[in-house]
Each structure stands twice: as C-alpha cells, then as structure tokens.
Amino acid sequence: MRNIDVSEITAAVREMCIEVNHKLSPDMVGKLTDAREREESPLGRQILGQLIENMDIAREEMIPICQDTGMAVIFLEVGQDVHFTGGDIEDAVNQGVREGYTEGYLRKSVVRDPIDRVNTGDNTPAVIHYSIVHGEGVKITLAPKGFGSENMSRLFMLKPAQGIEGVKEAVIAAVADAGPNACPPMVVGVGVGGTFEKCALLAKKALTRNVNERSKIPYVAELEKELLEKINCLGLGPGGLGGRMTALNVAVETYPTHIAGLPVAVNICCHVNRHISREI
Amino acid sequence: MDRHISLPLSDADALSLKAGDYVYLTGELYTARDAAHKRMYDALNEGKELPVDIKGQVVYYLGPTPARPGHVIGSAGPTTSSRMDKYAPRLLDLGLKGMVGKGKRTQEVIDAVVRNGAVYFAAVGGAGALLSKCIKKAEVVAYDDLGTEAIRRLQVENLPVIVVIDSAGTNLYATAADKWRK
C-alpha cells in the first residue's frame, strides 16, 4: 500500500489547469498545422492561420487560448493500493481547480445551480470521474470543456437493427447540426454501447485520446476514418464559413451493451481540445 | 471584400456591408452575453431604462478571462450567439446596429437585422488570445457583479470579423458550405 497526501493532488491539478489552458498538446498543434496545409478554401486557410497564431500568442504571452477556459472535467484513475491521507480527495481536486483558475487568471464559468445561475466565483466544482485501477499510482487527466461545442453534443438511443449505418448517420447529423456553433474544425468523440450514461462517458473519454491514435479494434478504426472523411465532405470548414477541414479527428470508444439497445453519444469539442495527464 | 469600418457603426456603413465581407472594426463597442442580456431584457419588461444607450452601437458577445496585471483584458473571443437570439430582436428594434459573435441565428433575428438595417458579424471562435491584441481599452460600465458577464465598453483597433448576415438578410452560413460539399 502507498500513502499519497492529497496536497499532491491539489498541486498537480492547479498546475495542469494553468498549463492546459495556455498550451495545446503537440498532437493537436500538429493536426491544426496539417489542416492549414490541406485546406482548399482561402478563407478557411486564413482562419486556420489565425488559430495557429492564436496558439503561439497564448503559449508565449500566457493569454488563455480561448476565453472559455471551460468546466474542469477530471478523470481520476486511482490504484487500488493507494491510501489518500491529509484530507478528502474531492476537496483536494476542487482546491486545485480553485487555485489554478484564480491564480492562472482563467475564467470562472461555473454557476452553483442550473436554474438560479449564481457564479461560484472560482470555477468549482469540477466534474470528477473516478475509476479504481490496478496498482499504487494515481493518474489524473484534466480536460476543461468549453460549452460552445458541449451544447452541440447529442445522445441517440438507436435500435440494434440500425447497426453501424445508424451510428454513422447519428454522428454526421450531430456534426452537421453543430455547424458553426461548435467552432470547427472540431474534434468528435463518439461513445457506442453501454447504457445511457456509459456511452456519454465513453464519448467524453474519447476526446482525451491522442488525436493521432486510432482505435485498437480494426472495425472501429475503420469507422473512425470513414466518419472523418464523411464529416470533411460536409463543406462546413473552419469557422463554418466553408471549406474542407470541418473536423480534425473522430475518436470512437465502444462498450458491451444490452440485447435491446444501441446507445450512441456524440461529444463535440472545438479545435481547442484541451487534455493533459499526469501520473503520481 | 476587405473593409475598414469605424464604430459606432453608421447607418450608411451598416447598409453597405455585404455577407462575406472581411471587416476590420475600429472604435468603441460593448460586451454583453447571457446574464447581461437577461438583465437588460428584464429591465425593459419592467419599463426601466437600459444601463447603456445601445442606439447605433455594436455589441460583442464576449465574456473575457481576467486581465493579467499590466494587460487591458484577458482572452477575448466570441461566444455562441444563438443563446442571445431570444433577446436580440428587441435590442435591434431599440436601435442596436450590430452584433459580433459566432454561430447561427434564428429567422426572427435575421428579420430584425433586415427591419433595422443592422449587421451580424462573426469573429473567429477560439482565437481569444489573438483577438485580445485588438482591444486597447476595457472598462466595466454596468452589472459589475456579473464578473465576466458584466457589460464592458471596449476600445478596439482593427478587430477582424466577417459579415455573416447583412441588412438585405443574406446569410453566409446558409450558403458557405455549398461550394465545398462533396
């Protein structure tokens, strides 16, 4: 068994909040650079050029990449031989978010109640997904989620008879409907299978995958490639103002499901697809 | 066509802008997003005055990140305009001349743009660091308690935007994809 003081978690979350909002991961930078090369629309190329310049300014001058610095979504994979000391783990994570968003001059975008809508003033609480894994380490993945694209995400409870064609239609419909609202070029996370909530979580998790990686399941990898190609035939383009580069990547995660169901969740993210992981 | 336009937006300039024009805006505009719009709308419903005179003005749908010391403002890109669709026609009918945001608008908003000879511009979503460089001055002028959602008066210089809906009702989003669809 290993003891981990929760103050270590707080410090890590704090640093990750600041880093991830100013510096896109190398895989995302590569995709955007590549998209500018491949875009055929002149206006689309100009917009992609602005997005690349924006990333440089953000990193060099410590101005957040986007003003929507998101709601902090955190995946916490905790080794089953870990014993947390020094306080409550949930409080420790939220303290890290509080410190990161306050000291990092990030936007406070969280309201305490969905109806009365009073801002909590420190971007807490985070949305935390825990999983218990083998070993005595802790892996923290932080993916702050902006809501321009979150609002365009969709969940479909398909019939098994609709099969893989139904999945494709659902994803394309969600992306086409999102259009310019979701700040294309987008990254599309798709969950297929499980239950209502499980497939939404799969879609969210898919967004944290390295955008250069394909699924290890051969038919799923093919599906990802086909969906990306189809999405990039929609013509929406950067900013939704016309062009080829509507999506930078499609990542699909699957899970066993019920004999009666085929849930499909489409979690859309803009080109500011922020994700960062750290192991403790 | 590339255009350089001064703010506040004159009636003549508003009428001359066409969907697809690439425009650099220079001058003063106001920020307001969800909470400020709701408050303005409630104020109007209660027969009260708006906290700023919106006649002839342009509103930028923006909630910036806090400014670092020595900076005018933090990251400052557009938010999704459709959430303001409920409120926009009323403000346009009261003289609001332009809106800067991103994303689709309802037919009611398009009709109000036409009726009032106004313009809807899009700025590039997710380019908040770049766009912040065009903001030379920022001050909160109303609803300070709303934090990032307060109404701010901004002095901008060459803020790059694209005309999406013009005063004739032409909507660039409706046709932009056609040319590139396969």
Side-chain angles (χ1 to χ4, degrees):
Chain A
M1 194 172 73
R2 177 179 165 214
N3 286 328
I4 296 178
D5 194 291
V6 293
S7 63
E8 273 193 68
I9 306 289
T10 297
V13 169
R14 175 192 176 281
E15 285 170 22
M16 290 162 78
C17 285
I18 297 172
E19 183 180 338
V20 79
N21 274 297
H22 293 90
K23 198 178 154 194
L24 270 192
S25 53
D27 57 322
M28 282 300 301
V29 176
K31 277 283 181 212
L32 271 169
T33 311
D34 180 51
R36 183 175 53 173
E37 299 301 311
R38 291 169 56 206
E39 179 57 63
E40 294 167 35
S41 144
L43 179 57
R45 268 202 307 276
Q46 188 177 351
I47 290 171
L48 289 165
Q50 288 180 336
L51 295 181
I52 290 163
E53 192 186 344
N54 183 66
M55 283 194 299
D56 294 340
I57 294 170
R59 191 182 58 246
E60 287 160 16
E61 301 188 32
M62 288 299 280
I63 302 170
I65 305 164
C66 178
Q67 76 289 338
D68 187 352
T69 50
M71 189 163 192
V73 176
I74 291 170
F75 292 93
L76 212 57
E77 294 165 62
V78 182
Q80 62 185 16
D81 296 324
V82 168
H83 175 228
F84 287 119
T85 60
D88 185 277
I89 183 64
E90 190 144 329
D91 291 346
V93 169
N94 281 322
Q95 184 59 23
V97 170
R98 185 174 292 119
E99 291 176 10
Y101 274 74
T102 306
E103 295 165 29
Y105 296 92
L106 303 174
R107 198 176 77 181
K108 288 54 169 196
S109 310
V110 175
V111 293
R112 68 178 184 187
D113 178 280
I115 302 302
D116 87 8
R117 308 201 72 82
V118 176
N119 198 301
T120 61
D122 58 12
N123 220 51
T124 67
V127 173
I128 309 171
H129 302 292
Y130 299 93
S131 51
I132 307 293
V133 298
H134 181 77
E136 52 177 28
V138 174
K139 184 177 177 188
I140 309 168
T141 300
L142 167 68
K145 191 65 173 69
F147 260 57
S149 54
E150 192 75 350
N151 280 336
M152 304 316 290
S153 300
R154 295 286 181 268
L155 200 144
F156 305 84
M157 298 304 282
L158 301 183
K159 294 179 177 69
Q162 289 175 270
I164 197 161
E165 292 308 316
V167 174
K168 291 176 200 169
E169 281 167 26
V171 174
I172 301 296
V175 171
D177 189 41
N181 294 29
C183 291
M186 319 167 193
V187 177
V188 184
V190 181
V192 183
T195 48
F196 182 81
E197 85 288 2
K198 177 70 180 180
C199 82
L201 198 53
L202 290 172
K204 179 72 73 192
K205 196 82 194 277
L207 290 174
T208 67
R209 200 205 286 169
N210 182 312
V211 288
N212 294 314
E213 273 175 25
R214 285 272 154 260
S215 169
K216 288 180 179 60
I217 305 167
Y219 92 85
V220 179
E222 284 308 310
L223 177 65
E224 290 172 346
K225 281 192 260 182
E226 186 183 337
L227 284 171
L228 182 59
E229 200 171 305
K230 284 205 158 86
I231 288 168
N232 285 334
C233 288
L234 289 172
L236 291 166
L241 293 164
R244 298 269 181 248
M245 297 292 117
T246 300
L248 299 171
N249 191 41
V250 179
V252 181
E253 296 287 332
T254 61
Y255 195 80
T257 189
H258 190 276
I259 49 173
L262 176 48
V264 179
V266 185
N267 197 188
I268 295 178
C269 192
C270 60
H271 51 83
V272 191
N273 180 31
R274 295 161 288 205
H275 52 86
I276 183 171
S277 292
R278 193 178 285 191
E279 289 181 35
I280 289 170
Chain B
M1 188 163 69
D2 278 16
R3 300 278 306 270
H4 285 82
I5 296 285
S6 309
L7 300 177
L9 193 55
S10 72
D11 289 355
D13 279 342
L15 291 172
S16 75
L17 289 167
K18 299 289 169 224
D21 285 352
Y22 200 93
V23 182
Y24 296 92
L25 299 174
T26 298
E28 272 185 6
L29 48 69
Y30 290 95
T31 70
R33 50 170 295 156
D34 308 60
H37 272 81
K38 181 174 190 308
R39 227 179 248 189
M40 285 194 283
Y41 194 77
D42 290 346
L44 290 171
N45 285 341
E46 291 161 18
K48 294 181 185 153
E49 295 260 305
L50 293 182
V52 293
D53 182 5
I54 58 165
K55 212 166 163 40
Q57 299 295 335
V58 171
V59 65
Y60 184 9
Y61 298 142
L62 162 67
T65 61
R68 281 185 178 271
H71 285 235
V72 169
I73 201 165
S75 193
T79 195
T80 310
S81 309
S82 60
R83 294 192 315 275
M84 270 55 77
D85 283 355
K86 176 182 172 185
Y87 312 111
R90 187 142 184 206
L91 298 179
L92 289 161
D93 288 341
L94 287 171
L96 181 70
K97 213 66 201 166
M99 302 161 288
V100 179
K102 57 147 172 125
K104 295 178 265 194
R105 309 305 305 259
T106 56
Q107 192 57 46
E108 286 74 18
V109 175
I110 297 174
D111 292 345
V113 165
V114 174
R115 186 161 70 232
N116 295 289
V119 190
Y120 171 51
F121 303 98
V124 174
L130 178 74
L131 292 168
S132 76
K133 303 299 236 179
C134 306
I135 299 170
K136 304 303 171 187
K137 222 172 123 184
E139 63 172 321
V140 172
V141 292
Y143 308 151
D144 195 15
D145 62 299
L146 293 180
T148 183
E149 295 204 70
I151 297 182
R152 289 171 170 79
R153 187 189 294 123
L154 304 185
Q155 181 78 37
V156 299
E157 223 173 86
N158 292 321
L159 184 77
V161 295
I162 294 153
V163 177
V164 171
I165 300 166
D166 63 25
S167 57
T170 309
N171 178 8
L172 184 61
Y173 287 141
T175 56
D178 295 346
K179 191 176 165 191
W180 304 99
R181 190 176 294 125
K182 280 206 252 187

